[in-house]
Amino acid sequence: MNSRNWVRLFISTLLVGGVTTGIVGFALKWSEYKELFIAFDIIEVLSILFWLIGVGFIFSVISQMGFFAYLTVHRFGLGIFRSVPMWNLAQIVLIVFVLFDLVYFRFQLFVKDGETITPYIFLALYVLIVGGIIAYFKRMDTNKEAFIPALFFMIVITTIEWFPALRVNEQDWLLLMLIPIQVCNAYQLLMLPRFNQVKKN
């Protein structure tokens, strides 16, 4: 990818992160923010929106750092294991380990009196399902060998990028960071071949 296409990908992903965070932020706190809309308090609404977009830009940059780090890791993995099946197997093991961590270790660290493990399982399932859907589209868009790497990226790398919110373990922050990062990661994963195609054309 040449520098022009990289800048296009960077800026478009930045906008995706900002817009997504703005939408998710208002959706999560709609019970509080709807009064501002009813009162037609434009200044307050815009200030909150600009803040959310700024936070979204940060999430987008984290996502892009993770994406380009994974492209490097993927090449190293292929070189170390010297075959796609072995590297895919290693990625599957890491996927299972990360999903287990999202349930068991988070439950051990943050469980409250009377709380069950069910919400922790549901959150890990959500990450798995979204990752599976994006990996399926990536497979359909390129080839069947792309499924496992895409699933690995959407689960393992997303979880690593999501770690600051996981440490806080505050429900709104968990979703406010997770969803934009997932959207940015999916966007980069699916759009990168198109930007490379622009270069070839």
Side-chain angles (χ1 to χ4, degrees), residues 11 67 116 170 196:
I11 293 174
F67 181 62
T116 68
E170 203 279 321
N196 283 334

Side-chain angles (χ1 to χ4, degrees), residues 3 10 17 36 40 45-46 59 61 75 79 85 104 110 113 117 122 131 134 138 146 155 165 169 172 189:
S3 58
F10 174 81
L36 298 175
F40 208 65
V45 169
L46 287 178
F59 294 161
V61 170
R75 290 299 173 188
Y104 180 76
F110 300 116
D113 291 339
I117 200 171
F122 282 159
I134 300 303
K138 180 66 176 178
I155 293 175
N169 198 47
D172 286 343
L189 195 64

Side-chain angles (χ1 to χ4, degrees), residues 7-54:
V7 170
R8 289 178 61 201
L9 179 62
F10 174 81
I11 293 174
S12 61
T13 307
L14 204 66
L15 293 174
V16 167
V19 171
T20 304
T21 305
I23 294 171
V24 172
F26 275 108
L28 289 174
K29 296 281 191 178
W30 179 246
S31 59
E32 299 176 17
Y33 295 152
K34 67 179 180 181
E35 298 298 331
L36 298 175
F37 285 92
I38 293 173
F40 208 65
D41 192 344
I42 300 298
I43 302 299
E44 188 68 21
V45 169
L46 287 178
S47 65
I48 294 170
L49 178 62
F50 288 147
W51 181 82
L52 287 170
I53 290 174

Side-chain angles (χ1 to χ4, degrees), residues 74-196:
H74 184 63
R75 290 299 173 188
F76 274 119
L78 290 173
I80 292 170
F81 289 93
R82 297 184 181 278
S83 71
V84 172
M86 288 300 295
W87 173 227
N88 282 346
L89 179 61
Q91 290 181 97
I92 291 171
V93 170
L94 289 171
I95 289 168
V96 172
F97 180 74
V98 167
L99 289 173
F100 176 79
D101 280 357
L102 277 177
V103 177
Y104 180 76
F105 286 112
R106 286 190 64 242
F107 180 73
Q108 293 296 317
L109 287 172
F110 300 116
V111 64
K112 300 175 183 176
D113 291 339
E115 189 177 19
T116 68
I117 200 171
T118 305
Y120 299 87
I121 294 175
F122 282 159
L123 189 60
L125 279 175
Y126 166 76
V127 173
L128 174 61
I129 290 169
V130 171
I133 292 170
I134 300 303
Y136 171 78
F137 281 111
K138 180 66 176 178
R139 178 182 183 275
M140 297 298 293
D141 197 40
T142 53
N143 54 67
K144 63 180 181 180
E145 285 78 19
F147 183 83
I148 297 300
L151 187 66
F152 178 88
F153 174 68
M154 290 301 302
I155 293 175
V156 177
I157 304 301
T158 294
T159 302
I160 293 171
E161 296 166 349
W162 187 30
F163 187 71
L166 287 172
R167 289 185 61 186
V168 175
N169 198 47
E170 203 279 321
Q171 186 66 31
D172 286 343
W173 270 106
L174 283 172
L175 296 177
L176 182 66
M177 188 172 191
L178 174 60
I179 296 173
I181 283 179
Q182 285 179 316
V183 173
C184 288
N185 284 348
Y187 175 80
Q188 292 176 96
L189 195 64
L190 297 174
M191 291 301 295
L192 181 63
R194 290 168 172 79
F195 280 96
N196 283 334

